[in-house]
Each structure stands twice: as C-alpha cells, then as structure tokens.
Amino acid sequence: MNWNKKKDAPAGQEPRSAADASLDRKMKKRLKWIVPAVCVVIVAGAAWFAMSQPKAVKVSASYTQTSVERRSISESFSGFGTLQPANTYTVKSLVAGEALSADFEEGDIVEKGAVLYQVDNSTATTNIEKAQIALEQAQRNYDKIADTRYVRSDVGGTVYALKVAVGDEVTQGQEVAVIQDNSKMVLKLPFPAADAVNFQVGQSALITLDGTFETLEGRVTAISGSDVLGSGNVLIRTVTIEAINAGTMNNTQVATANINGINSIESGTFAYQAEKTLTASAAGTVSEIYVPEGSQISEDQALLVLVGETLDETIQNAAESLRSAELSRENAQEQFNNYTITSPISGTIIEKKYKQGDIIETAQVLCTIYDLSYLQMVINVDELDISNIAVGQSVNITADAINDMTYTGTVTRVSMVGTTSNGTTAYPVTIRIDETEGLRPGMNVNAEIIVAEASEAISVPNGAVQRGGYVLVTKDSPSAVNALTDRTAPDGFVYVEVTTGVSDDNYVEIVSGLQDGDKVGIETSGSLSAVGLIQGFTGGRTR
C-alpha cells in the first residue's frame, strides 16, 4: 500500500521528479532499511576516494523560476482488498427428515424470518403432546401437595370449634376445627303421601316453633320420591324445608309446618344448613391461624397453615418434578420449531443445496444467504500511516472489472490490533460501500482514503521547499520584504521562511510565508568538471 497525492496541475506544467521532492511518508518507510545501506556505501566510498586521492571536484548550481499558483491538493492513502457482503449466514439443519417444502431459489431476495424449509415434524408433534400431558399432571400434583400445608374450609360459615393452637403438632387426618353454616336452618318433616305428591320444590311453607308458637316463612327444597309406612300405618313422604335464621334458632329447636293447608304429621328438629369437621391433610406444626374461633370463614378459605421439614421436602420434590416437566415441554417445543427453518437475516440466496422432497440430515448446510444491503472491504495500513486514518473518512473505490466508475465508501473501523511481519506492523481498516451498483462480493478493488484536502491553496512544487521550511524567492517578489538576513541566497534570490500544509506527489500547500505574485527558485542541476570526474575515478591517471 502506498501514499498517493492527488494534484490539480495547470496544463503544460511538468511535475518535479521524486529526487527533487521533499521527504514524504513513502520515503520515511523506505528509510527504515535504506539508511543503514546508505551509511555502508558512504563509508566504503569515502575510503575508496581517500585511497585514490582524487582532485577537487568543481560544482555549480542553476535555478529555475516558477510562480506560486493556487490549486486544489489532496493527500490520500491507497490500498487494495476484496469486497465482502455486509453479512453472511450459512443455514444449517438441526433436525433430520423429508423436506416438505423449499419455496425459494438462488438469487431470490428473502426477508428475515421467511420460511425456507418445512421438514416433516410428525414425530415432534407427538412428543409435544406427551410433554404437555406430563406437564399438566405434574402441575396438578404440585398444586395438591403444596396445598396440604393449608387447612381449608369446605363450606362457608362460622368457626364453631377450633381444636388446635399455634405451635401445636398435628398428625395427618387429625381433627382441627368444626365449621357451621347457620345462616339457614333445615327442617325435615313427614307429610301424608297423598298430599305430598302434589307439593313442589320452591313452594312456601309456614313453620311453627314449638313452645313459643312463633311462625316464620320457609321454602320447600326437597320431596322424597317414594312412600314409606309411618306410624298409624299411614303412607308418608319426607319434605325438606329451609328457613332463614334470624340468629335465634339452633339445632335443638323443634317445629312443625303447614304446606298449602296440609299440616305435617309429626314435628321435627332443625339442623344447620352445613356442618363440617376439618382435618389436617399432612403432618406438621401449626404456624399461623388465619380465622379465629367464632369468626366467619368462606368456602375454600384457609383456616390455618402448617410447617415442617418433611412437609417442606415433599413440596420441594413436587416443585422440582413440575420444573422438570416444564423444561421437557419447552425442549419439545424447541425441537418442534426446528422443523420450520426460517431465514436468520434479510438478504439474497447465494446457494441452495436441498430441494423439496430431499431427505435432510442433521447439521447439513441447506443454503447460504448474503446480506447485500452494503458491501465492505478490509485493507491493511502500515504503522507509519495508521495515525492518519480515522473512522468517518471518505474513500474512493475503483474496480478493474468496472471501467470509468468510482464509488464512495466510508471508513467504519480502525483496528487497534495489528499484525507484524518482517519487522513492520500493519493494522486492518474496514471500509463500507453503500452504493454498490455493478459491484459484487469477491471483486478486487482499489481504495483511496482521502486523508487531507486543501482547496484554492497557494502552492509551489515540492522541490521549492528546502529542509527546515525555507523557500528561495526572487528579489522582486512581494514576499521578499520578509527575507531572512542570516542566510546567504544565490544571486537574484532571497530566503523566506514558510509553513507548509497538505502535499501530493508534486505540489505542497504554503499556509504562510508566500503570497500571490511570488516567484520561487528551484535548483535544477549541479555540474562536475569532466577532468575532475575522470581523475576522481582513475586515481588521477589519464589514458
């Protein structure tokens, strides 16, 4: 890779030779191995000339004049590389089976997520169903075991009796409480079968309490379906009547009832609508009581909670079994999804290896996709030049395969990691090209990175600037007023000090020190006397 300098020279202007130009970066790199060689040559030459005792060599210099000019100058770095797609993806199969569909061809543009292949998934479908059943079973088992730590009420009502306290040890099946639902009272009475057959559920009943003869409204909730022989050889049917408890009735209260003018044959005793004795489903220690004795509790509400090492271990085992079933279900779903093969990126199909009906094997490459939304290339930049390369710099791209076309790229990455070879380190620089019409991956292209530019800059040939930043100007030049008095100049010239800027192969920008109208002097040659030259190389002898 080389440093290139662009120029904008006027017509008819001959560029200066490299021998007359100031040292540029290219020379700096060469100096790494040239300097030692030159030193050896100088020492050997000096010894040879000393031995041959040459006569004095006469040297004379001549200068040409040229006017300063305004021109555009650009400094650039050139390299070459191979175009690559923005992204490449090789699609592989994770499953085996027949390709039921493969509805795409090479050259097709596909979107990310588009279905490429559908592989026969009948076995995977069965595995998902099995895994789902196992998961549901594990969930029910966990829910049941986890709930054994709680004692819940089967009915809503009042905690009539609480048989344990916090800290008590209970065994599985032990009675812990009695729940009564006394919001309604139930009365079962015998009626003549001939009359009861005409009764209906929901029919009103008038209840009369024994002792107080107080009456209250009731409702028929059930009628026995068969006749039985009662006392006095009378056929009867049992009728169940429900009445709202105003808080004065209990399960010792006796009453009779009248339905549609028909009195019950006998009296009966009220019963609570529901009464349930709660037992512990597991052994443990009572940790907390949520509903105290005498308070109301809802159906399925927790009365108390149990703790214990054995209980905790049983619940933990159930939880682990549930998690294992969940993982199995997830794995089965992932395997099922693998039978539908989709595009991982948006791009162009470059290669298709399997078609519909083919038998696909696991881990086989099915197709290759290129993301051609942009192209990129990597060039290697020498360690002496890498400091001039930065992200965002513009790059001119040309390809030998495409004539008269220049593409624009951008530096997107300058690597901090270099590769050393033969004592020189190079650093990879990545370039992105967005407008790629005509370009293809794999093409070899040249890249020119614009490092610095100057427009309409005062410039002179490179050979006009002497080491240290000095320029010869004619005595009639406008800038001659700034002549340096401590430097002896050739006849007709004076030295002025300048500051240089951007340079290319032929010209250098003068930032300060010169102005329009100046004429500069450039040394063109130095001549040696013929006799002195010959004598110098013959040890002073002539033939």
Side-chain angles (χ1 to χ4, degrees), residues 43 73 76 83 95 129 211-212 230 255 257 288 298 330 332 352 378 405 407 422 494 501 518 521 530 542:
V43 172
I73 303 174
S76 63
L83 292 177
V95 296
E129 293 178 357
T212 63
E288 185 176 357
S298 302
E330 292 173 5
K352 177 182 178 181
V378 177
M405 282 290 293
Y407 301 87
N422 297 325
V494 294
D518 286 342
T542 59

Side-chain angles (χ1 to χ4, degrees), residues 291-536:
V291 183
E293 187 173 289
S295 298
Q296 293 294 312
I297 190 170
S298 302
E299 183 179 355
D300 203 39
Q301 182 180 353
L303 173 67
L304 54 85
V305 61
L306 303 173
V307 296
E309 292 183 3
T310 302
L311 180 59
D312 292 343
E313 183 177 355
T314 302
I315 295 174
Q316 181 62 32
N317 290 339
E320 292 172 355
S321 296
L322 174 60
R323 181 53 183 160
S324 178
E326 289 174 344
L327 293 175
S328 296
R329 176 62 174 80
E330 292 173 5
N331 182 64
Q333 183 63 55
E334 290 177 2
Q335 289 296 317
F336 178 82
N337 294 341
N338 289 336
Y339 285 85
T340 301
I341 301 171
T342 60
S343 176
I345 60 173
S346 296
T348 303
I349 303 295
I350 301 301
E351 184 180 27
K352 177 182 178 181
K353 292 190 173 183
Y354 286 83
K355 63 183 182 301
Q356 181 178 351
D358 288 347
I359 301 301
I360 295 174
E361 297 179 0
T362 304
Q364 293 300 306
V365 175
L366 305 179
C367 62
T368 301
I369 304 173
Y370 279 0
D371 176 4
L372 299 178
S373 58
Y374 64 90
L375 296 176
Q376 59 184 356
M377 63 181 295
V378 177
I379 61 175
N380 291 315
V381 179
D382 188 271
E383 59 186 287
L384 296 178
D385 305 322
I386 194 64
S387 61
N388 296 290
I389 309 299
V391 171
Q393 287 176 331
S394 180
V395 185
N396 292 327
I397 307 294
T398 57
D400 293 339
I402 303 176
N403 296 326
D404 303 324
M405 282 290 293
T406 299
Y407 301 87
T408 300
T410 305
V411 175
T412 58
R413 182 174 181 267
V414 180
S415 177
M416 297 297 292
V417 180
T419 302
T420 302
S421 177
N422 297 325
T424 300
T425 302
Y427 295 85
V429 173
T430 303
I431 299 168
R432 170 172 171 161
I433 307 101
D434 289 309
E435 297 297 330
T436 62
E437 183 178 359
L439 297 177
R440 293 189 177 189
M443 281 187 175
N444 296 313
V445 296
N446 300 310
E448 185 180 47
I449 303 175
I450 308 302
V451 175
E453 292 182 293
S455 178
E456 288 300 307
I458 292 178
S459 60
V460 297
N462 288 333
V465 181
Q466 300 182 17
R467 188 178 300 278
Y470 302 104
V471 173
L472 283 173
V473 298
T474 60
K475 289 183 177 181
D476 59 352
S477 294
S479 296
V481 296
N482 300 319
L484 299 173
T485 59
D486 59 346
R487 294 180 65 89
T488 301
D491 291 341
F493 294 94
V494 294
Y495 278 107
V496 295
E497 189 172 7
V498 297
T499 302
T500 60
V502 180
S503 65
D504 59 21
D505 286 339
N506 299 299
Y507 292 92
V508 60
E509 175 192 12
I510 304 299
V511 178
S512 64
L514 295 180
Q515 56 188 299
D516 292 326
D518 286 342
K519 295 181 180 180
V520 298
I522 304 173
E523 185 177 350
T524 58
S525 64
S527 62
L528 301 175
S529 66
V531 174
L533 179 61
I534 294 173
Q535 291 178 344

Side-chain angles (χ1 to χ4, degrees), residues 226-263:
S226 59
D227 300 342
V228 296
L229 187 64
S231 59
N233 293 324
V234 178
L235 291 175
I236 63 171
R237 289 193 178 190
T238 301
V239 178
T240 304
I241 302 172
E242 182 181 84
I244 296 176
N245 186 2
T248 59
M249 295 186 292
N250 54 44
N251 59 353
T252 62
Q253 183 71 54
V254 178
T256 58
N258 180 287
I259 301 174
N260 198 24
I262 306 299
N263 292 321

Side-chain angles (χ1 to χ4, degrees), residues 122-138 140 324-333 336:
S122 54
T123 300
T125 301
T126 301
N127 291 338
I128 281 186
E129 293 178 357
K130 291 179 179 179
Q132 182 63 37
I133 292 172
L135 175 59
E136 292 172 357
Q137 291 174 340
R140 289 194 298 269
S324 178
E326 289 174 344
L327 293 175
S328 296
R329 176 62 174 80
E330 292 173 5
N331 182 64
Q333 183 63 55
F336 178 82

Side-chain angles (χ1 to χ4, degrees), residues 171-189:
T171 58
Q172 183 178 3
Q174 179 179 334
E175 294 183 0
V176 296
V178 176
I179 308 299
Q180 290 182 347
D181 180 5
N182 60 359
S183 60
K184 294 179 181 179
M185 302 299 290
V186 177
L187 183 64
K188 293 184 177 182
L189 297 172

